[in-house]
């Protein structure tokens, strides 16, 4: 039985495992978010890099910028107590929640307005159909 913790993957294997493209993984590497080891010209991704990729993907899914994600990942390496990382995370989460709450209000207003436009269009269509029939 292999020890998953010590297992290493190529970019293609990591892409398959995480459901993202190899190109996306290389993009995150180019942005300094991933730091794979090298075996000759082959990138080797360790458990640590797979974990970092999972954090990147989660951060993107939650709407955080790559810069925010990078700040978070960099603190992980710099602060063994993770206090600074947790404080940053809390601040970023609070900001993101506020942004989403504002978007929610905007979406609800848009949905209400679109519903009214639809109702008006249906009434106009019904009135035009009656005029043509009575016509």
């Amino acid at each position: 039985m292999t020890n998953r913790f010590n297992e290493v993957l190529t970019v293609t294997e990591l892409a398959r495992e995480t459901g993202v493209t190899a190109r996306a993984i290389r993009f995150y590497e180019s942005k300094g978010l991933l730091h794979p080891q090298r075996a000759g010209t082959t990138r080797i991704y360790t458990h640590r890099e797979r974990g970092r990729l999972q954090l990147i993907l989660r951060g993107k899914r939650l709407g955080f910028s790559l810069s925010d994600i990078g700040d978070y990942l960099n603190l992980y390496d710099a602060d063994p107590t993770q206090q600074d990382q947790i404080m940053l995370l809390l601040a970023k989460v609070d900001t993101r929640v506020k942004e989403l709450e504002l978007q929610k209000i905007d979406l609800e207003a848009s949905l209400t307005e679109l519903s009214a436009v639809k109702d008006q269009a249906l009434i106009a269509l019904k009135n035009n159909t009656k005029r043509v029939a009575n016509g």
Side-chain angles (χ1 to χ4, degrees):
M1 179 182 255
T2 60
N3 182 347
R4 185 114 174 112
F5 188 79
N6 293 326
E7 183 182 2
V8 294
L9 299 174
T10 65
V11 69
T12 304
E13 293 166 336
L14 182 60
R16 190 177 322 114
E17 180 181 284
T18 58
V20 298
T21 65
R23 183 177 179 177
I25 293 170
R26 286 189 290 270
F27 173 76
Y28 296 138
E29 182 184 345
S30 76
K31 295 297 180 185
L33 300 174
L34 295 174
H35 309 285
Q37 297 173 7
R38 300 243 180 210
T41 60
T42 304
R43 292 174 177 90
I44 301 295
Y45 295 87
T46 63
H47 181 308
R48 179 180 181 278
E49 293 307 307
R50 290 196 308 268
R52 287 175 70 92
L53 180 57
Q54 292 296 336
L55 289 172
I56 292 164
L57 297 175
R58 183 177 188 201
K60 289 300 295 173
R61 192 172 50 253
L62 294 174
F64 291 103
S65 70
L66 289 180
S67 176
D68 288 342
I69 295 167
D71 291 345
Y72 179 77
L73 292 173
N74 290 338
L75 280 176
Y76 184 79
D77 293 332
D79 179 16
T81 68
Q82 297 182 1
Q83 284 298 111
D84 290 339
Q85 186 183 30
I86 293 168
M87 299 278 287
L88 177 67
L89 178 62
L90 286 172
K92 299 284 184 184
V93 166
D94 284 344
T95 299
R96 185 69 184 134
V97 166
K98 288 174 186 170
E99 290 170 353
L100 289 172
E101 289 292 341
L102 289 173
Q103 287 179 355
K104 180 180 175 184
I105 291 167
D106 290 343
L107 283 171
E108 288 171 349
S110 293
L111 287 169
T112 300
E113 188 172 347
L114 285 169
S115 181
V117 168
K118 180 180 178 181
D119 291 344
Q120 292 168 359
L122 288 171
I123 290 169
L125 187 61
K126 184 178 177 182
N127 289 338
N128 285 342
T129 304
K130 284 182 184 177
R131 276 190 227 131
V132 170
N134 293 333

